[in-house]
Amino acid sequence: VCRRFYNLLFFCAFCRLPNPIYLGTFAAGIFHSLLCFFHKIMPIISPVNALLLMSVTHFTAMLWMFRLVLTKDPGRLRRADTDSKFTTIAELVEANQNPYKFCIHCEMIQPDKSRHCKLCNICVLEYDHHCLFLNNCVAKNNHRIFVIFIMELIVAHVIFIVSALYYIYLKYNRPFLTVWTTVISEEVWVLVLTVMNAFTLIWESWLLKEQFEAISMGTTTYFKQNSDRRYSRSLRCRTFFMFLIEDKRRHDFQLERSIDI
């Protein structure tokens, strides 16, 4: 019985470990797309020097942001960041505070918009979500990098899809209905990656929309509450771009709320 109980505890602990399969799949998709683009597509549509220069510059910046969002500390909660007014759950209850602000795993009082991530096994500040495809939390220190990375991915998908379709048009300069069997049989790699990039583009566009909804209201996707959407569009756009440029989140957004006529 003790052995079975130990195996159950080990299995539960193993299930909480971060899964690198998602990150590996995501990285493999990026690698294959870049390899197909520069090895197969660009030689056919060249010479397009502007496209080559733009794609090399953009893909380099995208890979650099990919490295940053993977390696940067998301915003781990330190002892110095905790609320010094409280040290125990009893003190929280006596002050009519939420007792769940005390993390039983890290044994620290969490400030507002902080949460314990069971996959990373740490408490993080301004928690947004744990991204399985990056194998890391998205929080205070890497939230802006994550959003910029998503925007760069969207542009990269558009470049790949448009270039792939132009590649097929140049190589098979005939009506598609007459050569579709040839295209499918000879260009499986390009077609599969184009479809994958298209579906990923749709998903990432939705993800960017969700990020805009949360950031423009001065919060994160995890702590976003139902809103009556009475904030002016101009204020929300300014808040979002201020976050991208200055990495500042508007915590006092409710004080500056205005009605969109």
Short mmCIF file of all heavy atoms in Angstrom, two decimals, residues 135-193:
data_model
loop_
_atom_site.label_atom_id
_atom_site.label_comp_id
_atom_site.label_asym_id
_atom_site.label_seq_id
_atom_site.Cartn_x
_atom_site.Cartn_y
_atom_site.Cartn_z
N ASN A 135 7.34 27.14 -22.62
CA ASN A 135 7.79 26.44 -21.42
C ASN A 135 8.19 27.44 -20.33
O ASN A 135 9.16 27.23 -19.59
CB ASN A 135 8.97 25.52 -21.74
CG ASN A 135 9.13 24.40 -20.72
OD1 ASN A 135 8.17 24.02 -20.05
ND2 ASN A 135 10.34 23.90 -20.58
N ASN A 136 7.44 28.53 -20.23
CA ASN A 136 7.78 29.59 -19.29
C ASN A 136 6.53 30.40 -18.98
O ASN A 136 5.57 30.42 -19.77
CB ASN A 136 8.86 30.51 -19.88
CG ASN A 136 9.53 31.36 -18.83
OD1 ASN A 136 9.37 31.17 -17.63
ND2 ASN A 136 10.30 32.35 -19.28
N CYS A 137 6.54 31.06 -17.83
CA CYS A 137 5.44 31.95 -17.48
C CYS A 137 5.57 33.27 -18.23
O CYS A 137 6.67 33.70 -18.54
CB CYS A 137 5.43 32.23 -15.97
SG CYS A 137 4.64 30.93 -15.00
N VAL A 138 4.44 33.88 -18.50
CA VAL A 138 4.41 35.24 -19.03
C VAL A 138 3.90 36.12 -17.91
O VAL A 138 2.75 35.97 -17.45
CB VAL A 138 3.49 35.34 -20.26
CG1 VAL A 138 3.39 36.78 -20.73
CG2 VAL A 138 4.00 34.44 -21.38
N ALA A 139 4.74 37.02 -17.44
CA ALA A 139 4.40 37.84 -16.28
C ALA A 139 5.07 39.21 -16.41
O ALA A 139 5.35 39.66 -17.52
CB ALA A 139 4.81 37.13 -14.99
N LYS A 140 5.35 39.83 -15.29
CA LYS A 140 5.76 41.23 -15.27
C LYS A 140 6.99 41.51 -16.14
O LYS A 140 6.99 42.46 -16.93
CB LYS A 140 6.06 41.66 -13.83
CG LYS A 140 6.48 43.10 -13.69
CD LYS A 140 6.73 43.48 -12.24
CE LYS A 140 7.14 44.94 -12.12
NZ LYS A 140 7.37 45.34 -10.71
N ASN A 141 8.04 40.71 -16.01
CA ASN A 141 9.32 41.04 -16.65
C ASN A 141 9.39 40.68 -18.13
O ASN A 141 10.24 41.22 -18.85
CB ASN A 141 10.47 40.35 -15.91
CG ASN A 141 10.69 40.93 -14.53
OD1 ASN A 141 10.13 41.97 -14.18
ND2 ASN A 141 11.51 40.27 -13.73
N ASN A 142 8.55 39.75 -18.58
CA ASN A 142 8.64 39.34 -19.99
C ASN A 142 7.33 39.48 -20.73
O ASN A 142 7.20 38.98 -21.86
CB ASN A 142 9.15 37.90 -20.10
CG ASN A 142 8.17 36.89 -19.50
OD1 ASN A 142 7.22 37.26 -18.82
ND2 ASN A 142 8.43 35.62 -19.72
N HIS A 143 6.35 40.16 -20.14
CA HIS A 143 5.05 40.30 -20.80
C HIS A 143 5.16 41.12 -22.07
O HIS A 143 4.62 40.75 -23.13
CB HIS A 143 4.04 40.93 -19.83
CG HIS A 143 2.63 40.79 -20.29
ND1 HIS A 143 1.56 41.31 -19.59
CD2 HIS A 143 2.08 40.20 -21.39
CE1 HIS A 143 0.44 41.04 -20.23
NE2 HIS A 143 0.74 40.37 -21.33
N ARG A 144 5.86 42.26 -22.00
CA ARG A 144 6.00 43.10 -23.20
C ARG A 144 6.77 42.35 -24.29
O ARG A 144 6.40 42.41 -25.47
CB ARG A 144 6.72 44.40 -22.85
CG ARG A 144 6.88 45.32 -24.05
CD ARG A 144 7.55 46.62 -23.71
NE ARG A 144 8.96 46.45 -23.36
CZ ARG A 144 9.88 47.39 -23.51
NH1 ARG A 144 9.54 48.57 -23.98
NH2 ARG A 144 11.13 47.17 -23.17
N ILE A 145 7.83 41.64 -23.92
CA ILE A 145 8.60 40.86 -24.89
C ILE A 145 7.70 39.83 -25.56
O ILE A 145 7.77 39.61 -26.78
CB ILE A 145 9.80 40.18 -24.21
CG1 ILE A 145 10.74 41.24 -23.63
CG2 ILE A 145 10.56 39.29 -25.19
CD1 ILE A 145 11.87 40.65 -22.81
N PHE A 146 6.84 39.20 -24.77
CA PHE A 146 5.94 38.18 -25.31
C PHE A 146 5.00 38.79 -26.35
O PHE A 146 4.79 38.22 -27.43
CB PHE A 146 5.14 37.55 -24.17
CG PHE A 146 4.06 36.62 -24.61
CD1 PHE A 146 4.36 35.33 -25.03
CD2 PHE A 146 2.73 37.02 -24.62
CE1 PHE A 146 3.36 34.47 -25.45
CE2 PHE A 146 1.73 36.16 -25.03
CZ PHE A 146 2.05 34.88 -25.44
N VAL A 147 4.41 39.95 -26.05
CA VAL A 147 3.47 40.58 -26.97
C VAL A 147 4.18 41.00 -28.27
O VAL A 147 3.66 40.78 -29.37
CB VAL A 147 2.80 41.79 -26.30
CG1 VAL A 147 1.91 42.53 -27.30
CG2 VAL A 147 1.97 41.35 -25.10
N ILE A 148 5.37 41.58 -28.14
CA ILE A 148 6.13 41.96 -29.33
C ILE A 148 6.50 40.73 -30.15
O ILE A 148 6.45 40.74 -31.39
CB ILE A 148 7.39 42.75 -28.93
CG1 ILE A 148 7.01 44.08 -28.27
CG2 ILE A 148 8.28 43.02 -30.15
CD1 ILE A 148 8.18 44.86 -27.73
N PHE A 149 6.84 39.65 -29.47
CA PHE A 149 7.17 38.39 -30.15
C PHE A 149 5.97 37.86 -30.93
O PHE A 149 6.11 37.40 -32.07
CB PHE A 149 7.65 37.37 -29.13
CG PHE A 149 7.97 36.01 -29.71
CD1 PHE A 149 8.93 35.87 -30.69
CD2 PHE A 149 7.28 34.89 -29.27
CE1 PHE A 149 9.21 34.62 -31.24
CE2 PHE A 149 7.57 33.64 -29.79
CZ PHE A 149 8.53 33.49 -30.79
N ILE A 150 4.78 37.94 -30.34
CA ILE A 150 3.57 37.50 -31.04
C ILE A 150 3.33 38.36 -32.28
O ILE A 150 2.98 37.84 -33.36
CB ILE A 150 2.36 37.57 -30.09
CG1 ILE A 150 2.47 36.54 -28.98
CG2 ILE A 150 1.06 37.35 -30.86
CD1 ILE A 150 2.53 35.12 -29.46
N MET A 151 3.54 39.66 -32.17
CA MET A 151 3.37 40.55 -33.32
C MET A 151 4.37 40.22 -34.42
O MET A 151 4.02 40.23 -35.62
CB MET A 151 3.51 42.00 -32.87
CG MET A 151 2.43 42.44 -31.88
SD MET A 151 2.74 44.06 -31.13
CE MET A 151 2.44 45.13 -32.52
N GLU A 152 5.60 39.92 -34.04
CA GLU A 152 6.60 39.55 -35.04
C GLU A 152 6.27 38.21 -35.68
O GLU A 152 6.51 38.02 -36.88
CB GLU A 152 7.99 39.51 -34.39
CG GLU A 152 8.52 40.88 -34.00
CD GLU A 152 9.95 40.82 -33.51
OE1 GLU A 152 10.40 39.73 -33.11
OE2 GLU A 152 10.63 41.87 -33.53
N LEU A 153 5.72 37.28 -34.91
CA LEU A 153 5.32 36.00 -35.49
C LEU A 153 4.21 36.19 -36.52
O LEU A 153 4.22 35.54 -37.58
CB LEU A 153 4.83 35.06 -34.37
CG LEU A 153 5.89 34.31 -33.57
CD1 LEU A 153 5.22 33.50 -32.47
CD2 LEU A 153 6.71 33.39 -34.46
N ILE A 154 3.27 37.07 -36.23
CA ILE A 154 2.17 37.31 -37.18
C ILE A 154 2.72 37.85 -38.49
O ILE A 154 2.32 37.40 -39.58
CB ILE A 154 1.16 38.30 -36.55
CG1 ILE A 154 0.40 37.61 -35.41
CG2 ILE A 154 0.18 38.81 -37.60
CD1 ILE A 154 -0.53 38.52 -34.65
N VAL A 155 3.64 38.81 -38.41
CA VAL A 155 4.25 39.35 -39.63
C VAL A 155 5.03 38.26 -40.37
O VAL A 155 4.98 38.16 -41.61
CB VAL A 155 5.18 40.54 -39.29
CG1 VAL A 155 5.92 41.03 -40.53
CG2 VAL A 155 4.37 41.68 -38.68
N ALA A 156 5.75 37.42 -39.63
CA ALA A 156 6.52 36.33 -40.25
C ALA A 156 5.60 35.35 -40.97
O ALA A 156 5.92 34.87 -42.07
CB ALA A 156 7.33 35.60 -39.18
N HIS A 157 4.45 35.03 -40.38
CA HIS A 157 3.49 34.13 -41.03
C HIS A 157 2.97 34.74 -42.33
O HIS A 157 2.84 34.04 -43.34
CB HIS A 157 2.32 33.84 -40.09
CG HIS A 157 2.68 32.98 -38.93
ND1 HIS A 157 3.44 31.84 -39.05
CD2 HIS A 157 2.37 33.08 -37.61
CE1 HIS A 157 3.59 31.28 -37.86
NE2 HIS A 157 2.96 32.01 -36.97
N VAL A 158 2.68 36.03 -42.30
CA VAL A 158 2.18 36.70 -43.51
C VAL A 158 3.24 36.67 -44.61
O VAL A 158 2.93 36.38 -45.78
CB VAL A 158 1.77 38.15 -43.19
CG1 VAL A 158 1.43 38.91 -44.47
CG2 VAL A 158 0.57 38.17 -42.23
N ILE A 159 4.50 36.94 -44.25
CA ILE A 159 5.59 36.90 -45.23
C ILE A 159 5.71 35.51 -45.84
O ILE A 159 5.84 35.36 -47.07
CB ILE A 159 6.92 37.32 -44.57
CG1 ILE A 159 6.90 38.79 -44.18
CG2 ILE A 159 8.10 37.05 -45.52
CD1 ILE A 159 8.13 39.23 -43.42
N PHE A 160 5.65 34.48 -45.01
CA PHE A 160 5.80 33.12 -45.51
C PHE A 160 4.64 32.73 -46.42
O PHE A 160 4.85 32.17 -47.51
CB PHE A 160 5.89 32.13 -44.35
CG PHE A 160 6.12 30.71 -44.79
CD1 PHE A 160 7.41 30.21 -44.94
CD2 PHE A 160 5.05 29.87 -45.07
CE1 PHE A 160 7.63 28.90 -45.37
CE2 PHE A 160 5.26 28.55 -45.50
CZ PHE A 160 6.55 28.08 -45.65
N ILE A 161 3.40 33.01 -45.99
CA ILE A 161 2.23 32.59 -46.77
C ILE A 161 2.20 33.29 -48.12
O ILE A 161 2.00 32.65 -49.17
CB ILE A 161 0.95 32.88 -45.97
CG1 ILE A 161 0.88 31.99 -44.73
CG2 ILE A 161 -0.28 32.66 -46.84
CD1 ILE A 161 -0.23 32.36 -43.76
N VAL A 162 2.42 34.60 -48.13
CA VAL A 162 2.41 35.35 -49.40
C VAL A 162 3.53 34.88 -50.31
O VAL A 162 3.34 34.68 -51.52
CB VAL A 162 2.51 36.86 -49.12
CG1 VAL A 162 2.69 37.63 -50.43
CG2 VAL A 162 1.29 37.36 -48.37
N SER A 163 4.72 34.67 -49.76
CA SER A 163 5.86 34.22 -50.57
C SER A 163 5.63 32.82 -51.12
O SER A 163 5.98 32.52 -52.27
CB SER A 163 7.15 34.24 -49.72
OG SER A 163 7.43 35.54 -49.24
N ALA A 164 5.04 31.92 -50.30
CA ALA A 164 4.77 30.56 -50.75
C ALA A 164 3.76 30.55 -51.90
O ALA A 164 3.93 29.82 -52.89
CB ALA A 164 4.26 29.72 -49.59
N LEU A 165 2.71 31.35 -51.79
CA LEU A 165 1.71 31.41 -52.87
C LEU A 165 2.32 32.01 -54.14
O LEU A 165 2.02 31.55 -55.25
CB LEU A 165 0.50 32.22 -52.42
CG LEU A 165 -0.31 31.63 -51.26
CD1 LEU A 165 -1.44 32.56 -50.86
CD2 LEU A 165 -0.84 30.25 -51.64
N TYR A 166 3.17 33.02 -53.98
CA TYR A 166 3.84 33.62 -55.15
C TYR A 166 4.82 32.64 -55.77
O TYR A 166 4.98 32.59 -57.00
CB TYR A 166 4.54 34.90 -54.71
CG TYR A 166 5.12 35.70 -55.85
CD1 TYR A 166 4.33 36.10 -56.92
CD2 TYR A 166 6.47 36.07 -55.84
CE1 TYR A 166 4.85 36.83 -57.96
CE2 TYR A 166 7.01 36.80 -56.89
CZ TYR A 166 6.20 37.19 -57.94
OH TYR A 166 6.74 37.91 -58.98
N TYR A 167 5.46 31.84 -54.94
CA TYR A 167 6.39 30.81 -55.41
C TYR A 167 5.66 29.79 -56.28
O TYR A 167 6.13 29.42 -57.38
CB TYR A 167 7.04 30.14 -54.20
CG TYR A 167 7.59 28.76 -54.45
CD1 TYR A 167 8.85 28.58 -55.00
CD2 TYR A 167 6.84 27.63 -54.12
CE1 TYR A 167 9.35 27.30 -55.22
CE2 TYR A 167 7.34 26.36 -54.33
CZ TYR A 167 8.59 26.19 -54.89
OH TYR A 167 9.09 24.93 -55.10
N ILE A 168 4.51 29.33 -55.82
CA ILE A 168 3.73 28.36 -56.61
C ILE A 168 3.23 29.00 -57.90
O ILE A 168 3.23 28.36 -58.96
CB ILE A 168 2.55 27.84 -55.76
CG1 ILE A 168 3.08 27.01 -54.58
CG2 ILE A 168 1.59 27.00 -56.60
CD1 ILE A 168 2.01 26.55 -53.62
N TYR A 169 2.85 30.26 -57.83
CA TYR A 169 2.37 30.96 -59.04
C TYR A 169 3.48 31.08 -60.08
O TYR A 169 3.25 30.86 -61.28
CB TYR A 169 1.86 32.35 -58.65
CG TYR A 169 1.59 33.24 -59.84
CD1 TYR A 169 0.44 33.07 -60.61
CD2 TYR A 169 2.49 34.25 -60.19
CE1 TYR A 169 0.21 33.89 -61.70
CE2 TYR A 169 2.26 35.07 -61.27
CZ TYR A 169 1.12 34.89 -62.04
OH TYR A 169 0.89 35.68 -63.12
N LEU A 170 4.71 31.40 -59.66
CA LEU A 170 5.81 31.54 -60.60
C LEU A 170 6.26 30.19 -61.17
O LEU A 170 6.57 30.08 -62.36
CB LEU A 170 6.99 32.22 -59.91
CG LEU A 170 6.84 33.71 -59.58
CD1 LEU A 170 8.09 34.21 -58.88
CD2 LEU A 170 6.57 34.53 -60.84
N LYS A 171 6.29 29.18 -60.32
CA LYS A 171 6.79 27.88 -60.76
C LYS A 171 5.79 27.15 -61.65
O LYS A 171 6.17 26.44 -62.59
CB LYS A 171 7.12 27.02 -59.54
CG LYS A 171 7.88 25.75 -59.89
CD LYS A 171 8.35 25.02 -58.64
CE LYS A 171 9.12 23.77 -59.01
NZ LYS A 171 9.59 23.04 -57.80
N TYR A 172 4.49 27.31 -61.37
CA TYR A 172 3.45 26.65 -62.17
C TYR A 172 2.55 27.75 -62.73
O TYR A 172 1.44 27.97 -62.23
CB TYR A 172 2.65 25.68 -61.30
CG TYR A 172 3.51 24.67 -60.58
CD1 TYR A 172 3.98 24.93 -59.29
CD2 TYR A 172 3.86 23.47 -61.19
CE1 TYR A 172 4.77 24.01 -58.63
CE2 TYR A 172 4.65 22.54 -60.53
CZ TYR A 172 5.10 22.83 -59.24
OH TYR A 172 5.89 21.91 -58.59
N ASN A 173 3.04 28.42 -63.74
CA ASN A 173 2.34 29.58 -64.29
C ASN A 173 1.24 29.13 -65.25
O ASN A 173 1.25 29.42 -66.45
CB ASN A 173 3.32 30.50 -65.00
CG ASN A 173 2.69 31.84 -65.33
OD1 ASN A 173 1.60 32.15 -64.86
ND2 ASN A 173 3.36 32.61 -66.16
N ARG A 174 0.30 28.37 -64.67
CA ARG A 174 -0.86 27.90 -65.43
C ARG A 174 -2.07 27.90 -64.51
O ARG A 174 -1.92 27.98 -63.29
CB ARG A 174 -0.61 26.47 -65.96
CG ARG A 174 0.33 26.39 -67.16
CD ARG A 174 0.63 24.96 -67.51
NE ARG A 174 1.45 24.31 -66.49
CZ ARG A 174 1.69 23.01 -66.44
NH1 ARG A 174 1.15 22.21 -67.34
NH2 ARG A 174 2.46 22.50 -65.49
N PRO A 175 -3.28 27.82 -65.05
CA PRO A 175 -4.46 27.76 -64.18
C PRO A 175 -4.35 26.63 -63.16
O PRO A 175 -3.93 25.51 -63.49
CB PRO A 175 -5.61 27.52 -65.17
CG PRO A 175 -5.13 28.10 -66.45
CD PRO A 175 -3.65 27.85 -66.48
N PHE A 176 -4.72 26.93 -61.93
CA PHE A 176 -4.50 25.98 -60.85
C PHE A 176 -5.26 24.67 -61.08
O PHE A 176 -4.77 23.59 -60.73
CB PHE A 176 -4.95 26.61 -59.51
CG PHE A 176 -4.75 25.71 -58.34
CD1 PHE A 176 -3.50 25.49 -57.80
CD2 PHE A 176 -5.84 25.05 -57.76
CE1 PHE A 176 -3.31 24.65 -56.72
CE2 PHE A 176 -5.65 24.21 -56.67
CZ PHE A 176 -4.39 24.01 -56.14
N LEU A 177 -6.44 24.74 -61.65
CA LEU A 177 -7.25 23.53 -61.85
C LEU A 177 -6.56 22.54 -62.78
O LEU A 177 -6.84 21.34 -62.72
CB LEU A 177 -8.63 23.90 -62.41
CG LEU A 177 -9.54 24.70 -61.44
CD1 LEU A 177 -10.86 25.06 -62.13
CD2 LEU A 177 -9.80 23.89 -60.18
N THR A 178 -5.66 23.02 -63.64
CA THR A 178 -4.99 22.12 -64.57
C THR A 178 -3.71 21.52 -64.01
O THR A 178 -3.22 20.52 -64.55
CB THR A 178 -4.64 22.88 -65.87
OG1 THR A 178 -3.73 23.95 -65.56
CG2 THR A 178 -5.90 23.44 -66.51
N VAL A 179 -3.19 22.09 -62.94
CA VAL A 179 -1.92 21.59 -62.40
C VAL A 179 -2.01 21.26 -60.91
O VAL A 179 -0.99 21.02 -60.28
CB VAL A 179 -0.80 22.64 -62.60
CG1 VAL A 179 -0.53 22.87 -64.08
CG2 VAL A 179 -1.14 23.94 -61.89
N TRP A 180 -3.22 21.21 -60.35
CA TRP A 180 -3.33 21.04 -58.90
C TRP A 180 -2.77 19.69 -58.44
O TRP A 180 -2.19 19.59 -57.36
CB TRP A 180 -4.77 21.22 -58.45
CG TRP A 180 -5.73 20.16 -58.93
CD1 TRP A 180 -6.43 20.14 -60.08
CD2 TRP A 180 -6.08 18.97 -58.23
NE1 TRP A 180 -7.20 19.03 -60.18
CE2 TRP A 180 -7.01 18.28 -59.04
CE3 TRP A 180 -5.72 18.41 -57.00
CZ2 TRP A 180 -7.58 17.05 -58.67
CZ3 TRP A 180 -6.29 17.19 -56.62
CH2 TRP A 180 -7.19 16.53 -57.45
N THR A 181 -2.93 18.64 -59.26
CA THR A 181 -2.38 17.34 -58.86
C THR A 181 -0.85 17.38 -58.85
O THR A 181 -0.21 16.78 -57.98
CB THR A 181 -2.87 16.25 -59.83
OG1 THR A 181 -2.55 16.64 -61.19
CG2 THR A 181 -4.36 16.05 -59.69
N THR A 182 -0.27 18.09 -59.81
CA THR A 182 1.19 18.22 -59.86
C THR A 182 1.70 19.02 -58.67
O THR A 182 2.71 18.67 -58.04
CB THR A 182 1.62 18.91 -61.17
OG1 THR A 182 1.07 18.19 -62.28
CG2 THR A 182 3.13 18.95 -61.28
N VAL A 183 1.00 20.10 -58.35
CA VAL A 183 1.42 20.94 -57.22
C VAL A 183 1.36 20.16 -55.91
O VAL A 183 2.29 20.21 -55.10
CB VAL A 183 0.52 22.20 -57.13
CG1 VAL A 183 0.82 22.98 -55.86
CG2 VAL A 183 0.72 23.07 -58.36
N ILE A 184 0.27 19.41 -55.71
CA ILE A 184 0.13 18.66 -54.47
C ILE A 184 1.19 17.57 -54.35
O ILE A 184 1.74 17.33 -53.27
CB ILE A 184 -1.29 18.03 -54.40
CG1 ILE A 184 -2.33 19.15 -54.24
CG2 ILE A 184 -1.39 17.04 -53.25
CD1 ILE A 184 -3.75 18.65 -54.24
N SER A 185 1.53 16.93 -55.46
CA SER A 185 2.51 15.84 -55.41
C SER A 185 3.95 16.36 -55.29
O SER A 185 4.78 15.72 -54.64
CB SER A 185 2.38 14.97 -56.65
OG SER A 185 2.63 15.73 -57.83
N GLU A 186 4.24 17.51 -55.88
CA GLU A 186 5.62 18.01 -55.90
C GLU A 186 5.92 19.03 -54.80
O GLU A 186 7.09 19.23 -54.46
CB GLU A 186 5.93 18.64 -57.26
CG GLU A 186 5.92 17.66 -58.41
CD GLU A 186 6.27 18.32 -59.73
OE1 GLU A 186 6.48 19.56 -59.74
OE2 GLU A 186 6.34 17.60 -60.76
N GLU A 187 4.92 19.66 -54.27
CA GLU A 187 5.13 20.75 -53.30
C GLU A 187 4.45 20.46 -51.96
O GLU A 187 3.87 21.33 -51.34
CB GLU A 187 4.61 22.07 -53.87
CG GLU A 187 5.18 22.46 -55.21
CD GLU A 187 6.68 22.71 -55.17
OE1 GLU A 187 7.21 22.94 -54.06
OE2 GLU A 187 7.32 22.67 -56.24
N VAL A 188 4.57 19.22 -51.51
CA VAL A 188 3.93 18.84 -50.24
C VAL A 188 4.51 19.65 -49.09
O VAL A 188 3.78 20.15 -48.22
CB VAL A 188 4.12 17.33 -49.99
CG1 VAL A 188 3.56 16.95 -48.61
CG2 VAL A 188 3.44 16.51 -51.08
N TRP A 189 5.83 19.79 -49.06
CA TRP A 189 6.50 20.51 -47.98
C TRP A 189 6.00 21.96 -47.89
O TRP A 189 5.62 22.44 -46.82
CB TRP A 189 8.01 20.48 -48.22
CG TRP A 189 8.84 20.95 -47.06
CD1 TRP A 189 8.48 20.97 -45.75
CD2 TRP A 189 10.17 21.48 -47.13
NE1 TRP A 189 9.51 21.47 -44.98
CE2 TRP A 189 10.55 21.78 -45.80
CE3 TRP A 189 11.07 21.71 -48.16
CZ2 TRP A 189 11.81 22.32 -45.49
CZ3 TRP A 189 12.32 22.23 -47.85
CH2 TRP A 189 12.68 22.52 -46.54
N VAL A 190 5.94 22.63 -49.05
CA VAL A 190 5.50 24.03 -49.08
C VAL A 190 4.04 24.15 -48.70
O VAL A 190 3.65 25.01 -47.90
CB VAL A 190 5.76 24.64 -50.47
CG1 VAL A 190 5.22 26.06 -50.53
CG2 VAL A 190 7.25 24.62 -50.79
N LEU A 191 3.20 23.26 -49.24
CA LEU A 191 1.77 23.34 -48.97
C LEU A 191 1.44 23.07 -47.51
O LEU A 191 0.63 23.77 -46.90
CB LEU A 191 1.01 22.36 -49.88
CG LEU A 191 0.99 22.71 -51.37
CD1 LEU A 191 0.28 21.61 -52.16
CD2 LEU A 191 0.30 24.05 -51.60
N VAL A 192 2.06 22.05 -46.94
CA VAL A 192 1.81 21.71 -45.54
C VAL A 192 2.22 22.86 -44.62
O VAL A 192 1.48 23.25 -43.71
CB VAL A 192 2.53 20.41 -45.15
CG1 VAL A 192 2.50 20.20 -43.64
CG2 VAL A 192 1.90 19.21 -45.85
N LEU A 193 3.40 23.42 -44.87
CA LEU A 193 3.86 24.53 -44.04
C LEU A 193 3.00 25.78 -44.25
O LEU A 193 2.78 26.55 -43.30
CB LEU A 193 5.32 24.84 -44.36
CG LEU A 193 6.34 23.84 -43.82
CD1 LEU A 193 7.75 24.20 -44.27
CD2 LEU A 193 6.29 23.77 -42.29
#
